[in-house]
Amino acid sequence: MVFRKHTIFPEEFPEAWASDWGEDEYGLWMAFTYKDVRQVFRWCEPGTFLMGSPNDEPERDDDELQHEVTLTKGFWIADTPVTQALWTAVMGEDDQNPSPHFPGDDRPVENVSWDDAQAFIDTMNGLKAELKLCLPTEAQWEYACRAGTTTPFSWGDQIDSSLVNFKANRPYFNGRNSEYRKHTINVKALPCNNWGLYQMHGNVFEWCQDWYGEYPLTPVTDPRGPQSWVGRVLRGGSWFLSGRFCRSASRHRFAPSIRRVNYGFRLSR
């Protein structure tokens, strides 16, 4: 087994809130457990990467201008999207499960807006303030999704339904048809990327913290998007859309109050 080698470590490890922690082939991790529901967070150390897509990437969009991004601070990101079990544990049984279409404790919570995600985060931080939870920035999200890769997907130039839950009868750029499931699946049902993160591609779109905006023409450090706009960023594609939307560089945006059956979110710290 080849372990991922970190060169920059978190200031504190483990932190007092962690129910368990360790190091494996994907790197450092800590878990938070509440009402028997466990969420693992993975350490992403500072680094520089190319955000966006090169001009010759098939099926790219015009808003994916490739540019250099430096993240000066490491961060922790959840290894899965928020599940329905975690949502119910935190928000309470009286708060109706927002995901009636595809119920399941280990399926991602969906049909949630950016505003809903913020309410969940506020509630969870209220339970334990030292968690310091938030949504990832768009740059953090893509950095974690790519996990050191530069190809359209973290697995390379192509995907199918053995790797990603998407509308696989509409494959990416000359790909082959594979199973179109027509629903969400359990958050760990498919392989993780090189940093131990599950379903950064497909299953549900994931809200990011940023307002949507144009990318800069020059290298940037710790970008956080524009101060305001009409839509918040979503990333990752979903079970409902074709392969091109699952690419690491693909961007989507919608008003923060909008709920859709393929919108979920992932926690960051």
Side-chain angles (χ1 to χ4, degrees):
M1 183 177 293
V2 177
F3 277 64
R4 180 182 171 211
K5 294 182 179 179
H6 290 294
T7 58
I8 302 175
F9 293 86
E11 293 181 1
E12 182 182 357
F13 179 80
E15 296 184 37
W17 54 263
S19 58
D20 52 314
W21 57 87
E23 182 179 12
D24 57 21
E25 66 267 36
Y26 304 112
L28 299 177
W29 60 270
M30 292 191 294
F32 173 74
T33 303
Y34 182 66
K35 294 184 179 179
D36 297 324
V37 181
R38 180 172 174 268
Q39 177 66 71
V40 171
F41 291 86
R42 292 275 176 186
W43 171 244
C44 296
E45 63 185 33
T48 297
F49 76 109
L50 289 177
M51 187 172 181
S53 60
N55 290 334
D56 61 353
E57 182 166 300
E59 301 188 35
R60 71 187 297 271
D61 290 311
D62 292 339
D63 63 353
E64 299 171 15
L65 177 68
Q66 193 171 58
H67 60 291
E68 183 180 282
V69 172
T70 298
L71 300 177
T72 62
K73 295 181 180 180
F75 60 97
W76 295 89
I77 191 167
D79 69 339
T80 68
V82 170
T83 62
Q84 294 176 42
L86 184 58
W87 177 278
T88 301
V90 172
M91 303 302 281
E93 294 288 347
D94 293 336
D95 186 54
Q96 187 176 5
N97 183 350
S99 312
H101 300 286
F102 308 122
D105 283 350
D106 293 326
R107 289 190 178 193
V109 68
E110 32 83 8
N111 199 37
V112 289
S113 67
W114 187 92
D115 292 334
D116 294 333
Q118 297 299 325
F120 176 90
I121 287 168
D122 288 345
T123 301
M124 204 165 173
N125 284 335
L127 297 170
K128 194 169 284 290
E130 57 266 37
L131 281 172
K132 300 178 181 178
L133 295 172
C134 58
L135 292 176
T137 67
E138 186 178 16
Q140 288 173 336
W141 190 96
E142 186 169 329
Y143 181 64
C145 176
R146 289 189 176 279
T149 65
T150 59
T151 46
F153 308 96
S154 61
W155 293 286
D157 292 326
Q158 195 51 264
I159 54 170
D160 61 30
S161 59
S162 69
L163 296 172
V164 176
N165 184 32
F166 70 112
K167 194 171 187 177
N169 59 359
R170 293 183 60 190
Y172 173 67
F173 189 61
N174 296 328
R176 66 176 183 86
N177 285 359
S178 54
E179 180 186 5
Y180 175 27
R181 298 179 177 91
K182 302 182 181 181
H183 56 72
T184 63
I185 59 174
N186 289 355
V187 295
K188 291 188 177 181
L190 298 176
C192 61
N193 70 12
N194 292 336
W195 291 1
L197 305 173
Y198 291 89
Q199 295 180 14
M200 301 293 286
H201 304 289
N203 216 16
V204 290
F205 273 111
E206 299 180 9
W207 289 105
C208 293
Q209 185 63 33
D210 306 30
W211 290 104
Y212 174 85
E214 292 185 0
Y215 281 159
L217 298 174
T218 57
V220 290
T221 299
D222 298 326
R224 293 191 172 273
Q227 292 298 309
S228 63
W229 203 67
V230 294
R232 295 283 185 175
V233 174
L234 294 122
R235 287 301 210 103
S238 76
W239 66 269
F240 184 71
L241 292 175
S242 63
R244 67 185 295 264
F245 295 102
C246 298
R247 293 174 301 111
S248 297
S250 182
R251 310 175 73 200
H252 193 66
R253 72 272 193 186
F254 235 109
S257 61
I258 294 297
R259 301 183 180 102
R260 286 195 169 179
V261 72
N262 56 340
Y263 288 5
F265 66 103
R266 183 182 304 257
L267 298 169
S268 184
R269 307 184 58 249

